Structures are given as structure tokens and as C-alpha cells.
Amino acid sequence: LLQNLLFWSRNQLEDLKPRFEEFDANRVIQETIDFLKQIAWSKDISIEYRCDESLFCYADKRMIETVIRNLISNAIKFSFGGGVIKVTGEISDKFVFVRVIDNGIGMSEETQKKLFVYKESASLAGTKGERGTGLGLMLCKEFVEGNNGTITILSKKNEGTEVTVKLPGA
């Protein structure tokens, strides 16, 4: 959270511009899963990862690392014990698609409408009472769009959430 806030504030204060480079998103995703695996295990949540062998994109690697970490962290936060988080990566039509899918608490339509609205975004407690600021997804949206990508969220209350990030392929 602290890293996200510092990066976001730096972006706001200095108008941080992406440093575009070609990198393997597969590696970034795998390293993030390895980093967050202990937290998932502590909640009895498994993470399944399936990816195209070559997943090169053209974006700011640090920004995308932050996005992936935030999305997987959110999936862990809002999943119940025994839950499964599915992470996929694929290339299609010269774009890289990364999806993070959980079967957790999900969100109402009203909550989804406020996700990217500054000062209206409400932080929800995780399944073990974890707290947040509500800024993580706004940061993700800003970083993804700053890298010529899109982020979409599909969610149903009590069924789970699917977040899809679309980035330019390399």
C-alpha cells in the first residue's frame, strides 16, 4: 500500500511519464505470484497461473508490476479460504491481455460505478477484515491508461470479480 501511495503521489506531483520498454509480462506475473504466494496460502487460497509462452509487451515495466501486484493482492484480500484465484496471460491481435479472476465477495453495481471516481471510491474490508484506501484501483487505471492500455472490471456480488488489463504487445 505504501509503495502504491508513494508511486501514485509521485505521479500526481511530477506528472510521471511512462518509460516504455519491451519486457516479458509472463516473468513479471510469475514473480508477483511468487511474492504474494505466502499471503494467499495464509488465507488458504490457491493461485493458478496459465499463460502464453511469449507474452512480451511494450509499456513501463515498473508501472505494470505495480498494477499486477495490486490486482492479485486485491483478489487475495477479497477471497475466502478455500478460494481459487486464476491469473491468465495471452496475446491476441498484437495486444497482451492479463486477467485476474477470483471467486470472492464480488461487488455490487453501485460499488463498481464508484471504483474510479476520486473521493467517491469507498474501501471495502477484505474477507479477514483487511483494510485499504480505495486508491489502488484508481492507481491501476491511471498506470494502465498511461501505457496505452485499458482496464475493465466485471463483478457480481457474492460471486467474484474478473479484471482484464489490455496492453500493447511488443
Side-chain angles (χ1 to χ4, degrees), residues 4-43:
N4 284 347
L5 287 173
L6 290 172
F7 208 39
W8 180 80
S9 65
R10 181 175 164 203
N11 187 26
Q12 293 299 307
L13 295 173
E14 298 178 16
D15 194 26
L16 183 64
K17 301 273 190 258
R19 293 184 198 149
F20 292 95
E21 63 180 303
E22 183 178 318
F23 66 93
D24 186 359
N26 181 22
R27 186 171 178 184
V28 168
I29 296 165
Q30 189 60 59
E31 288 172 356
T32 303
I33 290 171
D34 291 344
F35 179 73
L36 295 172
K37 199 178 293 187
Q38 287 295 99
I39 297 168
W41 286 345
S42 73
K43 287 185 72 174

Side-chain angles (χ1 to χ4, degrees), residues 79-146:
S79 291
F80 295 101
V84 177
I85 297 168
K86 296 179 181 178
V87 181
T88 65
E90 63 182 325
I91 294 228
S92 178
D93 296 326
K94 298 184 183 179
F95 288 97
V96 170
F97 292 88
V98 177
R99 288 183 181 83
V100 179
I101 306 161
D102 68 61
N103 56 357
I105 64 174
M107 293 177 276
S108 67
E109 285 185 38
E110 182 180 322
T111 300
Q112 290 178 64
K113 289 177 186 175
K114 294 179 181 180
L115 285 178
F116 301 121
V117 180
Y118 183 66
K119 294 192 178 183
E120 282 192 38
S121 165
S123 175
L124 302 173
T127 56
K128 294 277 189 183
E130 305 97 327
R131 298 299 303 165
T133 63
L135 293 175
L137 283 176
M138 283 191 286
L139 178 73
C140 289
K141 183 179 191 316
E142 196 169 308
F143 284 178
V144 168
E145 289 178 352

